[in-house]
Amino acid sequence: MAGGEVFTETCWQDAWRCDALLLPGGGDLEPWRYGEANTASRNLDPVRDQQEYLLMQQFAVLRRPILGICRGLQTINVYFGGSLLQDIPGHSTVGDIDRLHRVRTVPSLLRELYGDEGIVNSAHHQAAGRLGAGLRVIQWAPDGTVEALQHTALPVWAVQWHPERLAPGPGGTADGRQLFQAFLQLVGKK
């Protein structure tokens, strides 16, 4: 979408060769990882959870950029010791169509890209609860749902929305390509 070279590999041990890590959307994380019983989590994939934790560890130690999208934000938050809200109303898709809603952004890379307010999509039923160590919220939905996080010391960013499915539109809809371009610039590949 933004000109980067994507490397997908089933062997996480080879990931050190990559310049950055993108954690995409998907099913829910196992709730035991953040100290809770399963009350509403679904589509669990324990193998993926473990592999993404190992990747997070590798890239955090190497201080390489990490971008999380939807489940990726949730993985990042839980990896750093945070928790998730297992089922929130009003953020899942309607049929198979993403919802659109406003967001408010504080000074950050996202604010530089999209301004103080904008419109993003929503296709999730879980969200960040207690924040993980070193993370700060940089964007919220009107109901207070965390829409973006940034690590205070590491090159780690995450959005709850799906930039790969967003194009600029009327009323200030975010252009997802801008986020990927900024990520590639951070990596030094754009």
Side-chain angles (χ1 to χ4, degrees), residues 1 25-26 69-71 90-102 119-125 147 159-167 173-174 176 180:
M1 182 177 201
I69 295 172
C70 198
R71 174 198 155 94
H91 286 265
S92 60
T93 56
V94 178
D96 287 331
I97 299 173
D98 293 352
R99 294 177 192 239
L100 295 176
H101 62 83
R102 294 203 161 281
I119 298 173
V120 298
N121 57 356
S122 190
H124 58 97
H125 80 107
E147 292 290 336
V159 294
Q160 187 60 65
W161 38 280
H162 285 269
E164 74 278 13
R165 298 196 304 246
L166 275 179
T173 303
F180 291 121

Side-chain angles (χ1 to χ4, degrees), residues 35-110:
E36 293 184 14
N38 187 349
T39 59
S41 295
R42 52 189 187 253
N43 301 319
L44 303 176
D45 186 346
V47 172
R48 179 178 176 183
D49 291 353
Q50 181 63 25
Q51 288 176 339
E52 288 185 348
Y53 264 54
L54 292 169
L55 288 168
M56 282 286 306
Q57 182 178 32
Q58 275 187 309
F59 281 79
V61 166
L62 295 171
R63 301 186 66 81
R64 291 191 182 156
I66 300 169
L67 175 62
I69 295 172
C70 198
R71 174 198 155 94
L73 177 143
Q74 296 163 14
T75 301
I76 288 168
N77 191 48
V78 172
Y79 174 83
F80 285 108
S83 68
L84 300 180
L85 304 173
Q86 289 191 46
D87 197 32
I88 59 170
H91 286 265
S92 60
T93 56
V94 178
D96 287 331
I97 299 173
D98 293 352
R99 294 177 192 239
L100 295 176
H101 62 83
R102 294 203 161 281
V103 289
R104 182 164 202 81
T105 310
V106 298
S108 61
L109 171 67
L110 284 183

Side-chain angles (χ1 to χ4, degrees), residues 118-183:
I119 298 173
V120 298
N121 57 356
S122 190
H124 58 97
H125 80 107
Q126 295 194 325
R130 180 186 69 253
L131 285 185
L135 297 174
R136 75 178 185 108
V137 179
I138 58 174
Q139 192 176 67
W140 296 264
D143 67 359
T145 299
V146 173
E147 292 290 336
L149 298 171
Q150 176 181 335
H151 197 278
T152 58
L154 297 170
V156 177
W157 291 267
V159 294
Q160 187 60 65
W161 38 280
H162 285 269
E164 74 278 13
R165 298 196 304 246
L166 275 179
T173 303
D175 179 359
R177 182 181 310 215
Q178 288 179 299
L179 181 58
F180 291 121
Q181 288 171 336
F183 186 58

